[in-house]
Amino acid sequence: MSFDDASTQARLEEVTDMVVDIWADVLEIDRSTIDPRESDFFALGGYSLLILQSISRLLAGQGIGEEDGQELEGLLLNELFENPTAAAQAECLLRNISIQA
């Protein structure tokens, strides 16, 4: 999926904002302290149980059920360890939703 066109970029920003909101809630920090492209989930205080909670909430927020979301959950988990930013989570989700659709 290319994030070059305006509608896709708008969708990416929407999902990135959702990730930031979820992280702020599960990490119990102010949303304004999270830079979507730079802030590291783990440096912000994240750990394994919070990872699973945030991914589950992200998938639910996108209307993806537990059964349908199992593969996406694994992909998002791997992405978070490789690139632990909110923007990377949003990009991974959108890239893989389009592949599974």
Side-chain angles (χ1 to χ4, degrees):
M1 165 179 257
S2 171
F3 296 104
D4 296 334
D5 66 80
S7 65
T8 305
Q9 188 63 38
R11 178 77 175 117
L12 178 59
E13 288 178 24
E14 175 187 319
V15 176
T16 301
D17 283 344
M18 177 182 279
V19 174
V20 169
D21 288 340
I22 291 168
W23 284 15
D25 192 44
V26 300
L27 297 170
E28 298 180 351
I29 60 175
D30 190 272
R31 184 188 197 291
S32 65
T33 64
I34 302 171
D35 180 326
R37 298 224 167 270
E38 299 294 327
S39 295
D40 180 308
F41 181 82
F42 303 104
L44 294 169
Y47 54 89
S48 60
L49 292 176
L50 295 180
I51 292 170
L52 296 175
Q53 185 180 10
S54 66
I55 290 173
S56 176
R57 289 176 61 177
L58 176 60
L59 294 174
Q62 295 298 306
I64 300 168
E66 190 174 313
E67 190 173 309
D68 294 333
Q70 286 180 342
E71 185 175 345
L72 282 171
E73 186 176 84
L75 292 168
L76 289 165
L77 182 61
N78 289 338
E79 180 68 28
L80 194 60
F81 282 110
E82 291 177 22
N83 190 357
T85 67
Q89 283 289 277
E91 289 172 12
C92 180
L93 178 65
L94 293 178
R95 192 172 45 250
N96 288 289
I97 285 176
S98 68
I99 290 170
Q100 292 187 357

